[in-house]
Amino acid sequence: MAESAGIQQGSPAIGAAGSVPAAPGAGGTEGSGAAVGSARIAVKKAQLRSSPRPKKLEKLGVYSSCKAEGACKCNGWKSQNPPPTPPRTDQQSNAVNLQDPCRSCSHTLGDHVTHLENVSEDEMNRLLGIVLDVEYLYTCVHKEEDADTKQVYFSLFKLLRKSILQMGKPMLEAQDNPPFERPSIEQGVNNFVQYKFSHLPSKERQTIVELAKMFLNQINYWQLETPSQRRQRVPNEDAAGYKANYTRWLCYCNVPQFCDSLPRYETTQIFGRTLLRSVFTVMRKQLLEQARQEKDKLPPEKRTLILTHFPKFLSMLEEEVYSHSSPIWSQDFLAGSTGGQIPIHTVISALPVARPLYYSPSPIQVEIASCGSVSPARKIVSLLETSTVGEKRKPSEPLPHEDAKRQRVVGDIPQELINEVMATIADPAAIPETNLLSAHSARDEAARLEERRGVIEFHVIGNSLNQKPNKSILMWLVGLQNVFSHQLPRMPKEYITRLVFDPKHKTLSLIKDGRVIGGICFRMFPSQGFTEIVFCAVTSNEQVKGYGTHLMNHLKEYHIKHEILNFLTYADEYAIGYFKKQGFSKDIKVPKVKYVGYIKDYEGATLMGCELNPSIPYTEFSVIIKKQKEIIKKLIERKQVQIRKVYPGLSCFKEGVRQIPIESIPGIRETGWKPMGKGQGKELKDPDQLYSTLKTILQHVKSHQNAWPFMEPVKKTEAPGYYQVIRFPMDLKTMSERLKSRYYATRKLFMADMQRIFTNCQEYNPPESEYYKCANLLEKFFYTKLKDAGLLEK
C-alpha cells in the first residue's frame, strides 16, 4: 500500500505527491529512491482514481476555473476550512458538498466543476493523473536550486496546469520534435558494431553486442550535469547548444519518468552524436572507475567482459565519436556484405533503478522486419547471464536499498547468515555442479543452458494480411506446420495449416540450428482474460531434452508480460501427463461464461486450465528452487554442527533427585527448545475449534473501518514497483482463501500472515501516510481480538 492521496485544498504546494527527483549532477545513474518515489506517485494516482466521483470533483475543482455568472476570475476552488497538516485519520470526512463556498470567490464548488458533469470516468481519471503530476512538479520547483532546471520544471508545471484548465492533453511546444538528430546514438553505436566487428565469428561478435547494449543502457539512465556545472568544467564549449539539449533531455526523458502525463523517450533514440560528445569523456571515466571499484563484486563470468573488453570497446568507440570523418554517423551508412543491422533497443521503464555496472543490462531485440511478432525473441547467446531478448524480470535480485529498509519479522533468518550461506553456495569449489543427467536436475535445465549458449532460440511469430510477408517468418511457419502434422497424426493437416497461418493465432517457435524443432500455437483472448493453446509439439528426435517444459515456461512469461494469466486447452490422453507437469489441471479457474463460444471443442479430449502467477519468473523458477534447497540444506547442516555436541549424562537421579526443570538439562536450549512463557498464549488443539476462532477474528478484522487498504492484493498496474520493494506480499483476501483451505494449522501461522500485512505497509509507506496509520490502528485491533479469544495472554 502507499501513502494517502489526500492533498489539501487551497494550494498545490501542500501535500505534493512523492519525492523530488535527485538534482542533476555530474553524471551517474539515478538513485533507487527515485524508483520508490515514482511507485508511490503511481499508487497515489490509483487510489485517487478509485475514489467516489464527488471526491474526484472536489479534487479537480481545486484546479478548475469558476463558471459562475458574472465573469468570475477565480482559477481554482479553495476550501474555507482546510484540514490540519497532516490530516488526522479520525477527523477525515468522506462527505463532499458541492454547495461548499470557495474561500477566494465565495462561489460554490459546483460552480467550479459544472464542465465535468458529463465527463466520463476515464477522462476524469486522466485529469486526476495530471493533477498529481502538477503537485509533484510544484514541489520540484521549490526544492530545485539550479536556475536552468528550475525554469524547466516551472514551464512543465504551467503546461500541465493549463491542460487541466482546458481539459486537453499536454503537448510540449518546441521548435523541434524528437528525434533531434540523425542518426541517433543508438543507431550510431549499432553502425559502430557493424563497421568494426562484422568480420568476427558469431560468438565473439555477440560479446561486442553485449558491450554495446550495456553502454546504451548506461546512457539511458545517465544523469546529465546542469549547464552551470558544465560551464564551470568546460568554459570554452558551446554553452547554448548544451543548454538546449539539457532542456530537451529534462522534458522528454527525465521528468516523464515520474510524471507519466508527459510522453517519454529514450535518450539514445532521440539524441545523436552532439549529446554523446558532450557526455562521453566524463561518462567513460566514471564507468571505468566504477568497474574498478566493483571488481570484487563482479561475478567471475562477467569480470573479464567488464574489466578487459569494456575498456577496449570504449576506447575504440571514443575514436569514432570524436572523429570528423567517421562513417558510422552518416545517414547513408551501409552494414557491408554481412546483411542487415542488429538493432540494439533499450527498454523504456517507468521506474529507473540504480544498478551496478554489471546488473541487468538493457535487452537486445532481434527484430525481423516482417509481419511476425518476435516477442519475446530471446536470443540468449551472451556472456552476461542477465542479458535476454525481450523484457526480463529479476525478482530474485533485490533492490540495493531493500534489505536496509525491510523490518525484520519474528522468525526471519538473519541476513548476515543468509549472505554467508549464499557465498558458500556460489563458490564452485564448495559445491560440485549438478550433472544434467542426475535425478536432482530440473527438466528444463539442459534446455536453459543450450539457450544461454545460443544453441536454441525462441520466437513468437504469426502470419499477417496487412504487412509484406517475410521469408524467414514464412519458412518458420511452414516448419511449424510440418512439426505439428507429423507429431499430431490424428489432426487433419488442412486444419493445422489453417490455424498456423491464421492471423489471429500466434506460435511460440523453438529454433535450433536455423530450423524449427517445436512450438506452441495459441490464440489470445484479452477481453476474456485467457489464451487457448491449440497445438503443442516437439519433433520426435528432439524430445526428452526439456524443450517442452522450457517452451511452456517462455509462453507463461510472454503472457505475464501481456497481462493474460490463464491458459485453457483440450488435451488428448497422450498429452494430459505433459500438461499436468506444466501446472495444468482439470479444475478450471476461468468462469465458464468467459470461454464458452470462444474456445474450440474437441471430441475425446479433456479441458485443462492453468492459472499463472505474475510474480514467478518461470524460465528461471527451477534455478530459484534449487538455490533455495541448497540454502536450506546448508542452514540445516550448520544447525546440526551446533547441536551435535555430546554432554555428560545426568547423575542427579542416582543421588535421589526425583524431578528437575527441563531447562536445566545440558544442551536442551541449544536445540531450539524454549520454555512456554506467559505471553505466548494458548494453542487450540481441536482443528475445528481453531478454524472457527480464526474465522471469527478474521471477519472482525475485515469489518474494521481501517481494513479497506488491505482487502485485496496490490495490483501491479496500480502500483508499479511495489513488488520490487515488497518481496512477501499478503492481504486479507489471500488469508481468507488460506483459512478456507485449512492452511492455518496453528495460530502462529495465522498471526504471521496478519503481521506480514502490517509490516509490508509500514515498510512501503512513510509514517505520516494514511495507509501507515490504518496499519497501526488495525494491528492494535487485531491483537485485542486475539487476547479476547484467549490466543494471547491478556
Side-chain angles (χ1 to χ4, degrees), residues 396-453:
S396 59
E397 298 185 38
L399 296 176
H401 67 287
E402 188 172 352
D403 289 324
K405 286 185 60 179
R406 191 164 70 93
Q407 298 181 10
R408 306 307 297 172
V409 178
V410 177
D412 278 2
I413 299 171
Q415 189 62 42
E416 297 77 14
L417 179 57
I418 293 292
N419 293 338
E420 186 179 344
V421 173
M422 284 293 292
T424 304
I425 292 174
D427 182 6
I431 297 182
E433 192 170 318
T434 305
N435 189 317
L436 292 179
L437 299 179
S438 73
H440 301 289
S441 62
R443 285 192 298 271
D444 62 335
E445 190 165 349
R448 185 169 50 250
L449 291 176
E450 285 190 12
E451 186 183 14
R452 288 178 182 169
R453 293 198 300 265

Side-chain angles (χ1 to χ4, degrees), residues 6-9 14 58 79-88 91-92:
I7 313 302
Q8 295 187 26
Q9 289 88 13
I14 302 175
E58 180 185 25
S79 173
Q80 293 193 345
N81 299 301
T85 306
R88 288 178 50 185
Q91 291 185 358
Q92 292 187 51

Side-chain angles (χ1 to χ4, degrees), residues 552-563:
M552 187 61 71
N553 287 339
H554 271 294
L555 189 67
K556 290 176 179 178
E557 290 202 344
Y558 177 81
H559 279 78
I560 288 173
K561 180 179 177 182
H562 289 79
E563 299 181 351

Side-chain angles (χ1 to χ4, degrees), residues 38 51 89 115 123 187 268 278 313 354 377 399 406 412 416 435 442 469 480 491 586 588 627 694 724-725 733 745 764:
S38 183
S51 302
T89 305
H115 63 296
E123 177 63 13
Q187 187 61 51
T268 55
S278 64
F313 175 86
L399 296 176
R406 191 164 70 93
D412 278 2
E416 297 77 14
N435 189 317
L480 287 164
M491 195 70 65
K586 300 176 184 178
I588 308 301
K627 189 75 69 178
L694 297 182
Q724 293 176 326
V725 179
K733 180 181 179 181
Y764 187 77

Side-chain angles (χ1 to χ4, degrees), residues 222 279-292 314 318:
W222 197 258
V279 302
F280 190 90
T281 303
V282 173
M283 183 177 175
R284 176 178 178 271
K285 180 180 179 182
Q286 292 192 15
L287 285 178
L288 295 180
E289 180 62 29
Q290 182 185 359
R292 284 190 291 269
L314 292 178
E318 185 175 27

Side-chain angles (χ1 to χ4, degrees), residues 470-500:
N470 176 270
K471 183 178 179 181
S472 299
I473 294 266
L474 293 178
M475 290 297 293
W476 284 347
L477 289 174
V478 171
L480 287 164
Q481 188 266 351
N482 290 334
V483 171
F484 292 144
S485 298
H486 184 73
Q487 298 300 130
L488 306 171
R490 293 190 294 179
M491 195 70 65
K493 290 185 179 180
E494 295 80 6
Y495 179 70
I496 293 176
T497 304
R498 177 159 61 88
L499 294 189
V500 169

